[in-house]
Amino acid sequence: MEKYDPQAIETKWQRAWEEARAFNTPNTGDADGRDFYLLEMLPYPSGTLHVGQVRNYTQGDVLTHFRRRTGRRVLRPMGYDSFGLNAENAAIRDGGRPREIVEQNIKKIRAQMKRMGWAIDWDRQVASHEPAYYHWTQRLFLQFLNAGQAYRKEAPVKWCPKDQTVLANEQVINGRCERCGTVVESKSLEQWFFRYTTYADELLDEMELLESWPERVLAMQRNWIGRSEGAEILFRVEELDLDIPVFTTRADTLYGATFFVLAPEHSLIAKLVEGTPQQGEVLDYVRRSAARTFVEREEKEKDGVFTGRYAVNPVNDERLPIWVADYVLMEYGSGAIMAVPAHDERDYEFARKYELPVQPVVVPLDGTEPELPYVAKSDDAKLANSGQFSGLPAPEGERAIVAWLGGHARGRPAVSYRLRDWLISRQRYWGSPIPVVHCERCGIVPVPEDELPVLLPEIEDYTPKGKSPLEAAEDWIRVPCPQCGGEGRREADTMDTFVDSSWYFLRYCDPRNDRAAFEPAVVNEWCPVDQYIGGLEHAVMHLLYARYFIKVLNDLGLVDFREPFTRLYNHGWVDMGGAKMSKSKGNVVSPDELVARHSADALRLHILFIGPADARVDWQENGLEGMSRFLRRLWRLGLEVATQPPALAEGALAHKATETIVKVTDDFERRYAYNTAIAAVMELVNDVADDPSAPGARFAVETAVSLIQPAAPHIAEELWERLGHGRLWEEPWPVADPALLQRETFELVVQVNGKVRDRLEVPADLPEDELIARAKESPKVQAHLNGGEIRQTIVVPRKLVNLVVG
RNA sequence: GCGGGCGUGGCGGAAUUGGCAAACGCGCUGGGUUUAGGUCCCAGUGGGGCGGAAGUCCCUUACAGGUUCAAGUCCUGUCGCCCGCACCA
């Protein structure tokens, strides 16, 4: 018998698909609801693919084939997130240019993807570093600028001293740079932001439009946005005749405020202490605090200094000493708090250290003496020592106090968010230039549309110096002001690469458009994305940014949908040596050698079979050999049944094959359960192997070949051809014949007191009382009845009978 | 601390709606074909009791309770693990 030669077969079919343009899906302009947009997060070409990424794209590939064969026109594009620090740092470290590095890697990755046999429409390939792409990133930036969504401001920002650039809040994890782990510093710099806090409520509320996103992703986004409802309250500094607002979620504890704290960055500090004996000490504290990193501020014991000033509590006119302490963050609320040590752990810690008074004003209803700080806020507590509000349940007391403040113009209900605006400028080379010119006379002037793109110049020295390396490109940076013609300078900062990836899935729809980023009608035909697949590491960053981007574009009338990704799931990552496999950790396993030694089909099956799609798994190579075994077995049976007469759906094998169709279809369509789908096909193949000459064997093998095609397309095509058929990729997905699912008999499980005592093969149409009679007749059952009285009988149709004896 | 999730053989895992726990695969054991190995084929493989054997009975889904005719699945508590956020007022 002819040997299974995967290398020859896989090359043959990869060529055939390419020549037939099997997986290209041109725009037709006549959307009819059969379109299906399948998207996987695009790779970063800082190296080549590893098996962790193979997992992602193989899962998407199965869905692509499956949806195609169920009659959908599937858009399945591919591209590269090719701007960014990895390539730039590699260029600095190893020499060479970032462009050359990513372009070489793109070539290699593309070859790897073709060798895996993935069904990709290569006509739509995009790469974010190409002028043809970032032209439109720049154009969109200008549209955001025009709409007031992009703006420039000076603010304390997070700075990574190693990468020598500012970072977005989303890129700071526990006070450290998300990329390199360096402790970030605070710097006050003028930077570009996207105003995405204005969409905070939409980003929360419109989660309802998402059909099936993992709960944990939604939870992470909710958490990140961090909406809190509370009140803004004005405290008066009488000597200086000014009001300082605070945000609090605990207005019910207002009578318990015993001091007042400002963040060291608060703009009123200088004014408060000017000419006072405390001035020197306070300004010194502010300076020392500024020198601390976020991590130091958080890890040290709380400290602070008294300013000598007092703020008046509006409800009881008490004068609260104003302190400056860096446990209060300038970036949240108003940068000032009323401190209620009796009911807040942080204020309590601070009060203990500086011997400030602690005044409980909320007590449990049950009269017990609570341990301080007592932070519970519920209907189980009531106000005390709170003037006219004493005795009210805490939530009601809060409403009453806020209403009173409103009536006296000293406060109002307010909402605060943890979310900050998205800082998008970077002081690095390898990114899209921000298309504006700074002019002394006109200020910030957008580069006119017809002068886009602002090309990234080739430079020699990319080394980060605390400002963009483009500052040194004198020829490039000096440019006449587009407005007045006077001397201008280009913006030297480049854009965060998350801007590039916030709209790439729109560009895929209309990838060669040279008049606009995309034609709205074309994007609206394909989008929103029906199924998005990617890693959990982007749960907050990329996915939140892209959601924001689409909302802005929708408000600008450029797309007609509010959410970019209807369905999402996160493939689990692959661990290697106890850590997540990634290029940065250097623990990657390349697919190339595995494909050469086994086959692309075996690797595909193995990576799908290794565990549930969304579970983290350990990389282990053992099972790969098992998959080769399965493929050889399928090959042998395929060639064997090919000598038999044409397939007839008959006998037990046809029944089993039909059940397998139902199982695999459900696993692909609804459950994303690739592992159990493969197991089901294995079962079917094992059944045929028991007796390859049994009735229906050929039907069973042909069904198995057809069902395994999305997962192992090469061997499936080859066997399909040898079984006398045409192109399997054009073949409709098998449909279960209901008649073949019918069985004449079934196995009745008989329980006594819930324990299985016998199994009987009985006719499928037996009525209930007959089932009970058969069950009682069973000698095994009778042995357990012991002649006792049957008190209850439970019948589950076509499954079991349970006899309960007393 | 807050939020999300998980705990099943030697291993990865299956059990989808409360109805036969351990499908499928890896590994391992024994046997066969070929024999240079591998491939390939057959049988076995959660724990324990009784039995020469065919069998048969009991136990088992982190632990302890509960609901139910019936619980890996639902409820309560405990323990352990993973992920995200965290001085956010």
Side-chain angles (χ1 to χ4, degrees), chain A residues 27 31 33 35-39 73 75 77 124 502-510 518-531 550 553 558-566:
Chain A
N27 293 334
D35 295 337
F36 192 92
Y37 190 172
L38 184 128
L39 182 72
R73 286 179 64 239
L75 175 62
R124 297 175 182 271
S502 290
W503 73 282
Y504 74 104
F505 47 93
L506 306 178
R507 185 67 181 173
Y508 280 150
C509 299
D510 195 9
F518 53 86
E519 185 67 43
V522 174
V523 160
N524 290 333
E525 180 184 345
W526 288 110
C527 289
V529 171
D530 293 281
Q531 180 67 57
I550 291 307
L553 294 180
L558 292 171
V559 300
D560 69 4
F561 45 93
R562 292 294 287 175
E563 287 288 342
F565 315 120
T566 306

Side-chain angles (χ1 to χ4, degrees), chain A residues 207-355:
Chain A
M207 285 181 181
E208 282 176 22
L209 302 173
L210 307 173
E211 267 178 38
S212 67
W213 277 41
E215 187 49 45
R216 59 183 161 170
V217 173
L218 297 177
M220 283 163 74
Q221 294 203 354
R222 260 185 232 113
N223 205 330
W224 186 259
I225 295 166
R227 182 186 154 100
S228 334
E229 294 184 20
E232 186 181 86
I233 302 174
L234 296 178
F235 283 70
R236 186 150 193 85
V237 184
E238 289 171 328
E239 296 88 334
L240 295 174
D241 194 27
L242 51 84
D243 286 328
I244 307 179
V246 302
F247 174 77
T248 179
T249 55
R250 294 299 305 272
D252 55 321
T253 64
L254 183 51
Y255 281 83
T258 55
F259 59 103
F260 192 95
V261 189
L262 297 173
E265 297 83 6
H266 201 284
S267 58
L268 288 175
I269 290 174
K271 195 168 175 185
L272 284 177
V273 296
E274 193 176 358
T276 68
Q278 286 84 0
Q279 183 172 19
E281 200 191 342
V282 169
L283 295 183
D284 185 54
Y285 179 82
V286 169
R287 266 190 302 277
R288 275 186 289 125
S289 181
R292 289 171 175 151
T293 65
F294 294 100
V295 173
E296 284 165 350
R297 272 171 81 148
E298 193 167 326
E299 285 175 353
K300 71 173 173 57
E301 192 185 326
K302 290 186 186 13
D303 59 13
V305 287
F306 176 49
T307 60
R309 296 289 186 183
Y310 293 84
V312 177
N313 186 339
V315 281
N316 57 9
D317 291 334
E318 257 181 53
R319 283 165 57 83
L320 310 178
I322 301 177
W323 287 65
V324 174
D326 63 10
Y327 79 92
V328 174
L329 308 176
M330 189 60 222
E331 55 196 41
Y332 187 76
S334 63
I337 62 157
M338 64 178 208
V340 186
H343 305 293
D344 183 281
E345 283 180 22
R346 298 148 300 176
D347 298 344
Y348 186 78
E349 191 186 330
F350 194 80
R352 290 294 294 261
K353 174 163 178 177
Y354 292 105
E355 297 178 338

Side-chain angles (χ1 to χ4, degrees), chain A residues 424-547:
Chain A
I424 60 145
S425 41
R426 297 288 180 275
Q427 289 69 53
R428 296 292 300 248
Y429 168 71
W430 189 235
S432 170
I434 294 173
V436 302
V437 173
H438 298 268
C439 168
E440 288 215 353
R441 201 173 324 162
C442 311
I444 290 166
V445 182
V447 172
E449 259 181 63
D450 57 8
E451 288 174 28
L452 296 181
V454 175
L455 289 172
L456 185 65
E458 295 285 344
I459 60 172
E460 293 307 318
D461 182 11
Y462 317 112
T463 333
K465 301 171 181 67
K467 55 181 186 174
S468 168
L470 291 174
E471 294 275 9
E474 279 293 317
D475 295 348
W476 178 83
I477 205 143
R478 288 170 186 277
V479 66
C481 167
Q483 202 161 291
C484 70
E487 229 172 81
R489 286 178 72 81
R490 289 193 188 281
E491 169 66 59
D493 286 357
T494 54
M495 280 189 246
D496 182 1
T497 56
F498 280 113
V499 179
D500 307 331
S501 56
S502 290
W503 73 282
Y504 74 104
F505 47 93
L506 306 178
R507 185 67 181 173
Y508 280 150
C509 299
D510 195 9
R512 304 293 165 251
N513 193 326
D514 57 5
R515 301 172 314 282
F518 53 86
E519 185 67 43
V522 174
V523 160
N524 290 333
E525 180 184 345
W526 288 110
C527 289
V529 171
D530 293 281
Q531 180 67 57
Y532 199 19
I533 307 174
L536 197 60
E537 64 273 19
H538 291 301
V540 170
M541 293 190 283
H542 162 60
L543 289 170
L544 202 55
Y545 293 145
R547 292 183 61 217

Side-chain angles (χ1 to χ4, degrees), chain A residues 667-688:
Chain A
D667 280 352
F668 286 166
E669 186 158 47
R670 183 176 64 85
R671 303 207 313 145
Y672 310 121
Y674 313 103
N675 54 339
T676 55
I678 293 168
V681 176
M682 285 175 161
E683 269 190 68
L684 176 60
V685 171
N686 288 347
D687 277 11
V688 178

